[in-house]
Amino acid sequence: AMDGYWLTDTEGRLLEVNDSYCRMSGYTENELLTMRISDLEVIEKPQLVAEHMQKVISQGSDRFESKHRGKDGTVFNVEVSVQYRTEEGGECVCFIRDITELKQAEDTLRENEKQYRTLFETMVQGVVQQSADGKIITANSSAEKILGLSIDQMRGITSVDPRWKSIHEDGTDYSGETHPAMIALKTGQMVKDAIMGVFNHQTDSYRWISINSIPQFKVGEDKPYQVFTTFDDITKRKQAQASLRDSEQFLNEIGSIAQIGGWEHDLATGEGIWTRETYNIVEIESGPVPGSDEHLSYYTPKDRVILEEAYRLSIETGEQFDLKLQAATAKGRSIWVRVVGRPEYKDGICVKMKGILQNITEQKNVEMQLQQAQKMESIGRLAGGVAHDYNNISSIIIGYSELALEQVKPEDPLHEDLVEILTAAKRSTDITRQLLAFARKQTIAPKILDLNNTIGSLLKMLRRLIGENIDLAWLPGEELWSVKIDPSQVDQIVANIGVNARDAIADVGKVTIETQNISFDVKYCADHAGFIPGDYLLLAVSDDGSGIEPDIMDNIFEPFFTTKEQGKGTGLGLSTVYGIVKQNNGFINVYSEPKKGTTIKIYLPRNRGKVVNSSIDNSMEIPLSRGETVLLVEDDGSILKLGKRILEELGYRV
């Protein structure tokens, strides 16, 4: 049955119900079968229900209107038809029809009839009444003003009359048959919020209106006998919308140029607004804006806490916050962003947070590289100064030790002590040389080399250095360009990186050395800070050792920084390599993952000269004096004294 159905006993208990009443009331069948009529009735209380039941029993049937309360508390009007049956000790069969809409319609109709004329004449909206054939019956004064025609001019004409000049939003002409009023009359359906441009004959201009056409029906008929059309003048709103669109487009364009996005979060509803650039920054194509809490998930855990605290303090104090934070885009790309926000209050309560979001990844990377470069430059100056002073001291120790050895016989017990002093002092010069290499003050004799040949000649030495348990793979690039560098510096690079690779491999492993030609253009360098356009030779050394932890990556080139056990390393290996690469106008990058290994890539500028023999002749005779006079200038008194003595012993006049 479309209507609700009950079967009750004479005490008012519900014995049976149908699905229609369940839908009507919102209760389930099981819930209803535990209830009485008085639990659902709004008008009749239990005593009245009992009295009404006695009336039904005495009359045998009844039909009446009442009100029931649904499960959600809403009250709905019902028409009840009940019959009493004597079977089973007496039962009542009830059919219940929901007449809420009907009652509302009746009430509305009465109210409309009462207020129609007053409202019709005083409405700010324009109102036009048309008959079933579309002819205008009457209109109010607001319609006259908006349309620029008097009631007399409008009365009796239809929507297809040539006096109407109506246009769509795209500027095309309206057909009379597509007028909302005509559609409402034809279909019997209300037409809502249709936008139309109408010509005002008094102002000689178009006005924009929003139209609602409401068909009217006589009781029992399904075809409208008239239609009411109401319309608002939305010209200013349309102009404002056009201006807003222009402003939004302008702001989006400016934001895109500056890479600055705008955001707003409603703290009560959690809803937000983002500009197009904000979507671009977090790499979301479209969709709903993440809520005021959900958007925090884009930030790293550490920075999320910082932002939450900034939110809290900003809400408490009313002050604006300005933060630089790390985040991850929707596509998983790590970025740096600048987040600026400030609170908005209503009646003393913070209701919104709004601000800007700027992608500062490139700026941050440049800042970090500049800071790192400045730090390394400062350390380099310090290392150079230390090396200079250290070199002077070791030179004095070596010089006087050699002079003393010349005066002490080999069998003298003092001779062995002096030899140990001399040996230790010479070992210390290795540290001096490494510090000078890092400070880029190492004395060098660059030659144009074939890097493949130079490294190939070092492999035997390197294999002994790294040990038999580590496999050494050599992958030379084909037709390799030449490079200009001191051959001894190539030895230092390969040896130092090789030792580090050996120490990173716990037991067995593999070290791979490879070379190749590589070129960087301007576009590539713009996206990779620190790279300079040009042709380079790549020397890459990889190992499958323990790798480098991310938190120490910025320190690996610093002199004396080491993760090795005490006595296992000086911490000068990579700093020496760094200094050599920089001294030769190259650059170096390290790629590493803990427990997966490390790859060190060195880029040396291509040289277009001819390759020369890189062999070095270290044999050299000490020149003895033939009576010459030597001018010796030295600011360190001890070095001056030692130099003077050595030269005089060689026969020179100092």
Side-chain angles (χ1 to χ4, degrees), residues 115-367:
Q115 297 182 0
Y116 164 70
R117 186 49 54 185
T118 303
L119 290 174
F120 186 76
E121 292 302 331
T122 59
M123 285 177 68
V124 176
Q125 291 179 311
V127 183
V128 172
Q129 182 184 11
Q130 293 171 260
S131 61
D133 57 3
K135 292 181 179 179
I136 295 176
I137 300 169
T138 187
N140 69 354
S141 57
S142 293
E144 290 181 293
K145 182 178 179 181
I146 293 171
L147 300 174
L149 295 172
S150 68
I151 293 176
D152 291 337
Q153 288 175 310
M154 288 187 280
R155 188 177 287 117
I157 65 174
T158 67
S159 301
V160 296
D161 191 279
R163 272 172 285 187
W164 305 118
K165 297 179 183 179
S166 304
I167 56 173
H168 292 278
E169 288 187 274
D170 61 3
T172 58
D173 290 337
Y174 244 106
S175 161
E177 294 301 319
T178 62
H179 190 284
M182 302 307 290
I183 294 174
L185 285 168
K186 185 176 181 180
T187 64
Q189 301 293 320
M190 177 179 178
V191 179
K192 295 183 64 177
D193 302 325
I195 305 299
M196 178 188 294
V198 294
F199 189 79
N200 187 300
H201 290 268
Q202 290 181 348
T203 62
D204 197 32
S205 63
Y206 274 95
R207 311 292 294 172
W208 286 101
I209 59 175
S210 174
I211 298 178
N212 293 304
S213 290
I214 309 159
Q216 304 293 307
F217 301 87
K218 291 182 178 179
V219 177
E221 296 184 2
D222 58 1
K223 189 175 181 180
Y225 75 98
Q226 65 177 13
V227 63
F228 279 98
T229 297
T230 65
F231 44 92
D232 290 297
D233 187 340
I234 59 168
T235 305
K236 289 185 178 179
R237 190 177 86 189
K238 290 283 288 183
Q239 292 170 344
Q241 287 174 341
S243 177
L244 180 61
R245 281 194 300 271
D246 291 342
S247 297
E248 287 177 347
Q249 184 178 355
F250 173 74
L251 289 174
N252 281 331
E253 289 174 356
I254 294 299
S256 179
I257 294 170
Q259 289 191 314
I260 297 177
W263 58 268
E264 178 182 293
H265 282 122
D266 189 311
L267 301 184
T269 65
E271 295 177 351
I273 301 172
W274 282 3
T275 63
R276 169 48 48 195
E277 186 58 24
T278 305
Y279 278 100
N280 292 340
I281 290 172
V282 299
E283 294 186 325
I284 294 178
E285 294 298 328
S286 60
V289 176
S292 55
D293 293 326
E294 185 183 357
H295 84 284
L296 292 170
S297 63
Y298 286 103
Y299 298 92
T300 60
K302 175 176 68 69
D303 286 354
R304 194 179 309 155
V305 173
I306 294 173
L307 184 56
E308 286 176 332
E309 181 64 12
Y311 253 68
R312 187 186 65 79
L313 288 174
S314 182
I315 291 170
E316 285 182 3
T317 63
E319 297 292 328
Q320 177 175 299
F321 64 82
D322 190 337
L323 302 172
K324 293 180 180 179
L325 306 173
Q326 272 189 294
T329 69
K331 295 182 179 179
R333 192 167 62 90
S334 179
I335 59 173
W336 278 92
V337 293
R338 179 186 177 210
V339 188
V340 181
R342 68 182 181 193
E344 185 176 299
Y345 298 87
K346 185 177 182 180
D347 298 329
I349 298 173
C350 183
V351 293
K352 290 181 181 178
M353 289 293 292
K354 58 176 63 175
I356 63 168
L357 184 75
Q358 183 179 12
N359 187 343
I360 59 168
T361 305
E362 186 175 342
Q363 173 189 335
K364 193 68 177 177
N365 287 340
V366 171
E367 285 179 4

Side-chain angles (χ1 to χ4, degrees), residues 360-377:
I360 59 168
T361 305
E362 186 175 342
Q363 173 189 335
K364 193 68 177 177
N365 287 340
V366 171
E367 285 179 4
M368 293 168 66
Q369 288 165 358
L370 178 60
Q371 290 170 0
Q372 181 70 6
Q374 289 173 335
K375 182 178 75 171
M376 297 300 286
E377 189 67 31

